[in-house]
Amino acid sequence: MDITLVRGDITEQRADAIVNAANSSLMGGGGVDGAIHRRGGPEILEECRRLRASRYGGGLPTGQAVATTAGRLPARWVIHTVGPVHSRSEDRSELLASCYRESLRVADSLGATSVAFPAISAGLYGWPMDDAARIAVETVRQAETAVERVTFVLFDAKAHAAFEARL
């Protein structure tokens, strides 16, 4: 698998699938989630509503992933995953790793060969960037997947440097 880093906006990435660091409601929010919903348009929200009305009435559980259309984004699909909120008193790293593994599993089920990831949980959910980068890179490297290209799309220089140190 080819792993690359890009500093930029995940909503501009050309990949089979982009990963949304979603909140459990699947209805959009702040950060990456809000940007994906705004740029992708109402088609994404409509599919999220259908998912909430069927399989995920209580919301998407932390560490799991589900796909929708990408709407107006330059990708085919959006894979939504809910990262854990960082905790100093409880080790939630396995839940964060699960976000990456489950997203790649969903990508495989779709036939996606290229996936773009943000730094899940490293923004609004408070995960320290260095540790988020370590978990992301190690998990993706160890994943059994048919995905050929993973791009970590990092919004700022600090995030890029943290991921670069792990590659």
Side-chain angles (χ1 to χ4, degrees):
M1 171 192 317
D2 182 33
I3 300 175
T4 58
L5 306 177
V6 171
R7 186 169 167 204
D9 180 347
I10 198 162
T11 67
E12 297 174 355
Q13 298 305 304
R14 296 195 178 279
D16 291 336
I18 64 169
V19 176
N20 179 16
N23 65 54
S24 65
S25 77
L26 296 174
M27 297 295 141
V32 170
D33 193 18
I36 286 172
H37 275 268
R38 280 190 301 279
R39 178 117 189 255
E43 299 87 351
I44 296 173
L45 184 58
E46 185 54 40
E47 280 197 36
C48 286
R49 283 187 177 128
R50 283 196 294 272
L51 287 166
R52 285 297 306 268
S54 60
R55 295 190 293 185
Y56 299 107
L60 182 65
T62 302
Q64 292 189 20
V66 66
T68 65
T69 180
R72 300 173 188 158
L73 296 168
R76 293 182 65 191
W77 301 284
V78 172
I79 298 172
H80 307 266
T81 189
V82 180
V85 173
H86 183 261
S87 169
R88 293 180 192 273
S89 61
E90 179 185 351
D91 182 7
R92 297 178 179 167
S93 4
E94 181 51 37
L95 283 170
L96 182 54
S98 179
C99 291
Y100 291 96
R101 276 193 305 273
E102 287 297 304
S103 293
L104 290 170
R105 183 190 60 74
V106 169
D108 284 340
S109 75
L110 296 168
T113 60
S114 59
V115 177
F117 281 101
I120 299 168
S121 289
L124 298 173
Y125 286 8
W127 208 283
M129 188 58 72
D130 290 339
D131 196 44
R134 175 188 64 79
I135 292 167
V137 171
E138 286 176 6
T139 303
V140 167
R141 279 187 171 149
Q142 294 169 6
E144 293 183 24
T145 179
V147 172
E148 298 168 5
R149 181 172 50 96
V150 166
T151 304
F152 288 106
V153 183
L154 307 157
F155 193 71
D156 62 22
K158 178 184 173 192
H160 191 276
F163 274 75
E164 190 170 51
R166 293 297 171 174
L167 280 180

